[in-house]
Amino acid sequence: MGVQETIDEAGPGRAKFREMKQGTADDWAIIGGEYRAFAKGLPDRVLDHLRLLDGDFGGFPVDRLEHSLQTATRAHRDGRDEQYVVMALLHDIGDTLGSYNHPEVAASIIKPFVSEEVHWICQNHGAFQGYYYFHFLGMDQNARDKFTGHPHYEACRLFCEKYDQSAFDPDYASEPLEFLPKLWATRKVGFLLEQIRLNGENPELRDEVIRLAKKFGLVTPYTSFLAVDDSEFDNRRPRPEPEPRRR
């Protein structure tokens, strides 16, 4: 059997090339369609991976999932917007696969959906968090000083001071993980609407906006008829700190 005959046996939903230089427009139409369908599941895959942190204490007072939830909850209750809270939730998601560079892993995941400042905070929070413990491990406590003068230095310092280093309290009443997918969806919808604004309306982007808006009860230019309680998604509104959780 010749190579071309073998290629031709590929199923109708798969490209037929063995090397990219053999690819055709039909092949890439198949791949593009599969990619778009796959990309829609990104929020669920991210949350599934975040759940791997459940029960992983690594010697800390709380497990890594609780730390992530607590960091995000503190940011949310302090009035931070959706992109910031999503970053706070995912800032340590790289711990499982990027044990030596976890901030860069998380930053790569959120980069398409957040501002340059929020991305920078995520990418560099490791050096800033080290201020609180590096000296106990024979490392440079002031490693963050290499960023002195950077326009986002203070923003990253505040993230670690207010939300990250303080998120190890076993008695803190964090929001459950189920509370946070709406924030991711809100950020994704914002990203899609920006793409539509920049590049013109695309039926696939429009349909994805509508799907997410209906699923999570978001108001958009395509779903403004939905009745939504503003307090559910106005994440800039400061929230009171809860009473300590009793065990």
Side-chain angles (χ1 to χ4, degrees):
M1 181 180 291
V3 172
Q4 190 59 48
E5 291 175 295
T6 303
I7 293 173
D8 289 342
E9 289 182 356
R14 293 162 52 195
K16 297 181 178 180
F17 59 76
R18 295 229 172 177
E19 300 177 7
M20 280 190 170
K21 63 185 179 183
Q22 299 171 336
T24 66
D26 288 341
D27 288 330
W28 287 100
I30 292 170
I31 294 169
E34 290 293 321
Y35 167 77
R36 289 186 289 273
F38 182 74
K40 291 179 182 179
L42 177 61
D44 291 334
R45 290 194 299 276
V46 169
L47 292 174
D48 284 345
H49 195 85
L50 193 65
R51 291 186 181 96
L52 296 178
L53 304 182
D54 189 13
D56 181 2
F57 285 84
F60 288 93
V62 300
D63 66 34
R64 286 183 164 91
L65 178 59
E66 170 58 26
H67 170 68
S68 299
L69 291 170
Q70 196 170 133
T71 304
T73 300
R74 290 178 182 277
H76 176 66
R77 290 174 179 160
D78 198 35
R80 297 291 183 172
D81 66 8
E82 296 94 346
Q83 63 170 324
Y84 195 102
V85 176
V86 167
M87 179 273 290
L89 173 66
L90 301 182
H91 74 287
D92 282 347
I93 196 172
D95 278 347
T96 53
L97 295 176
S99 301
Y100 297 97
N101 66 331
H102 79 273
E104 289 89 347
V105 174
S108 293
I109 293 172
I110 67 171
K111 185 175 182 178
F113 310 108
V114 300
S115 69
E116 192 274 333
E117 178 181 288
V118 170
H119 175 259
W120 196 91
I121 292 171
C122 188
Q123 187 173 41
N124 295 288
H125 78 271
F128 285 76
Q129 189 78 338
Y131 177 78
Y132 303 98
Y133 71 92
F134 277 0
H135 51 299
F136 295 123
L137 301 176
M139 301 167 66
D140 181 9
Q141 180 183 20
N142 297 306
R144 66 184 186 180
D145 287 356
K146 65 184 178 182
F147 297 112
T148 299
H150 192 280
H152 304 320
Y153 179 98
E154 182 63 10
C156 194
R157 188 195 70 78
L158 284 175
F159 168 73
C160 291
E161 173 65 24
K162 297 185 70 175
Y163 312 124
D164 197 359
Q165 68 85 26
S166 61
F168 296 94
D169 182 354
D171 295 322
Y172 186 82
S174 299
E175 297 285 355
L177 185 58
E178 292 72 24
F179 155 79
L180 293 154
K182 184 173 183 177
L183 298 178
W184 178 277
T186 300
R187 198 66 212 155
K188 177 74 178 293
V189 165
F191 171 77
L192 293 173
L193 290 175
E194 180 67 7
Q195 295 304 303
I196 291 172
R197 185 187 71 80
L198 293 173
N199 304 310
E201 185 171 292
N202 176 297
E204 291 190 31
L205 297 183
R206 181 198 62 212
D207 291 348
E208 180 64 359
V209 168
I210 293 172
R211 183 186 73 83
L212 290 172
K214 287 183 175 179
K215 181 177 179 179
F216 292 98
L218 306 175
V219 173
T220 76
Y222 301 105
T223 56
S224 57
F225 61 91
L226 292 173
V228 180
D229 179 0
D230 286 348
S231 64
E232 291 184 6
F233 62 88
D234 181 4
N235 295 299
R236 291 187 178 277
R237 185 172 301 158
R239 310 252 178 151
E241 290 289 322
E243 292 294 323
R245 183 172 55 198
R246 302 299 179 190
R247 298 201 169 210

